[in-house]
Amino acid sequence: SLPAKLINGGIAGLIGVTCVFPIDLAKTRLQNQQNGQRMYTSLSDCLIKTIRSEGYFGMYRGAAVNLTLVTPEKAIKLAANDFFRHHLSKDGKKLTLLKEMLAGCGAGTCQVIVTTPMEMLKIQLQDAGRIAAQRKLMAAQSQISSSSPEPAVERRPTATQITRELLRSKGIAGLYKGLGATLLRDVPFSIVYFPLFANLNKLGQKDPNVKAPFYVSFLSGCVAGSTAAVAVNPCDVIKTRLQSLQRGVNEDTYSGILDCTKKIWQREGPTAFFKGAYCRALVIAPLFGIAQVVYFVGIAEFLLDMLPKRRA
């Protein structure tokens, strides 16, 4: 039933995000830093420096926004894919690859209603630590070369403050900045992910009428998720840059998707489009693996499968 699908999709998102959020934070910071202003050299370097400067919970900045909105986002994404697959199938016949891709396209289009504002707010909170650290470093360097007083501690905005400011200055459109780039990322992602997951999951089904074991769904979600994540990473880099409201010192600003693409290509080279690709794969693989287990198998059945069988 639809309520069960929505509940399973929501729970799947909550569990997945909690497990992989620190890696997602590192991905955002690695994607946003530009040549000449590099604060971090790798995933591990980013996480270590974040813990040192912001504490353990600094790795979860922006998690509250994600945990609040990931339930409707994942619920819409997974339920919409099922909805489109159901209506594209005829008399229960197997869907062609094209129809599976169309169903994924529909799911990716529906989810941006929630994904865009969620990503918009999350990116501001995740990247605030990088910008603060960069400004602190620049201030320390200038203080050494001059006798200027030590700068005051910078207060970081909350998600509520950012939301209020965007609504006040730009209306609801402020929360949907980067909508085009989000569509450019999420629609191709879903087109690749859902057909690939469905076909991989079928390989583990001994009988077409019996669900695959939960570990098959998990591995299928991991493989399909990481493959789709790397494939659309250039779009994710563009989306992250466009949705960042604050910039570090001497960092570029962008007027749109084409302007962003052109400047990244010219000033940072084609490899810049794959910044954070392995982080994104590490985030998406377990996130969608967990999501598909909870959603596809069902939370109740999943928990029962994890319990030891009682002897007759």
Side-chain angles (χ1 to χ4, degrees):
S1 65
L2 182 60
K5 289 176 181 179
L6 295 176
I7 291 168
N8 280 332
I11 294 172
L14 288 172
I15 296 171
V17 166
T18 303
C19 293
V20 301
F21 194 83
I23 304 174
D24 186 62
L25 178 136
K27 179 216 61 127
T28 297
R29 293 187 177 185
L30 288 169
Q31 286 183 339
N32 257 338
Q33 64 180 7
Q34 299 177 22
N35 290 345
Q37 302 294 336
R38 290 168 62 87
M39 293 292 299
Y40 316 107
T41 58
S42 64
L43 167 64
S44 57
D45 181 57
C46 181
L47 293 178
I48 290 169
K49 287 180 178 176
T50 299
I51 293 172
R52 285 177 180 171
S53 61
E54 303 170 54
Y56 174 79
F57 290 105
M59 295 191 299
Y60 281 88
R61 281 194 60 82
V65 173
N66 232 31
L67 291 171
T68 301
L69 296 178
V70 76
T71 299
E73 187 221 23
K74 285 290 176 288
I76 289 170
K77 186 185 188 83
L78 296 171
N81 181 65
D82 268 6
F83 174 82
F84 289 116
R85 286 178 71 92
H86 173 73
H87 284 277
L88 286 169
S89 64
K90 293 181 179 179
D91 302 323
K93 290 182 180 179
K94 182 181 177 181
L95 284 174
T96 63
L97 179 60
L98 177 60
K99 288 185 176 181
E100 287 183 330
M101 293 172 72
L102 285 172
C105 177
T109 304
C110 290
Q111 78 168 86
V112 297
I113 297 169
V114 177
T115 303
T116 305
M118 178 184 77
E119 292 274 312
M120 176 74 178
L121 295 172
K122 182 193 72 170
I123 285 170
Q124 314 317 314
L125 298 172
Q126 285 183 329
D127 205 39
R130 181 188 70 88
I131 294 172
Q134 189 190 82
R135 288 175 179 170
K136 187 177 179 181
L137 180 63
M138 297 289 288
Q141 290 174 347
S142 63
Q143 191 177 359
I144 291 172
S145 58
S146 65
S147 57
S148 56
E150 188 175 342
V153 177
E154 186 177 344
R155 295 187 66 182
R156 297 175 195 169
T158 64
T160 304
Q161 290 171 338
I162 294 170
T163 303
R164 285 176 180 171
E165 178 59 27
L166 285 171
L167 290 174
R168 184 188 64 79
S169 60
K170 299 182 180 179
I172 193 68
L175 290 173
Y176 280 87
K177 183 181 180 183
L179 175 62
T182 306
L183 279 167
L184 197 62
R185 180 198 68 171
D186 288 347
V187 172
F189 178 93
S190 295
I191 289 173
V192 174
Y193 173 78
F194 282 111
L196 184 55
F197 168 78
N199 286 282
L200 288 173
N201 197 61
K202 282 176 187 174
L203 296 176
Q205 290 180 272
K206 295 180 180 179
D207 186 326
N209 298 318
V210 178
K211 290 179 180 178
F214 76 89
Y215 63 84
V216 173
S217 295
F218 175 76
L219 291 174
S220 299
C222 287
V223 173
S226 57
T227 302
V230 173
V232 302
N233 196 76
C235 301
D236 189 56
V237 172
I238 293 167
K239 183 199 72 67
T240 300
R241 296 279 182 96
L242 288 174
Q243 288 188 320
S244 297
L245 298 176
Q246 301 220 2
R247 304 286 177 190
V249 181
N250 300 324
E251 289 185 344
D252 290 328
T253 56
Y254 311 103
S255 60
I257 294 173
L258 292 177
D259 180 56
C260 183
T261 305
K262 182 180 177 181
K263 285 180 178 177
I264 292 174
W265 183 277
Q266 290 178 342
R267 300 177 187 182
E268 301 175 58
T271 56
F273 290 105
F274 286 92
K275 283 184 176 180
Y278 66 97
C279 293
R280 184 161 164 75
L282 288 174
V283 169
I284 296 296
L287 178 60
F288 275 83
I290 293 167
Q292 287 292 177
V293 167
V294 178
Y295 180 80
F296 194 74
V297 178
I299 186 65
E301 294 177 46
F302 173 67
L303 293 174
L304 288 172
D305 282 344
M306 295 297 289
L307 293 173
K309 301 274 185 187
R310 292 184 65 183
R311 293 183 181 178

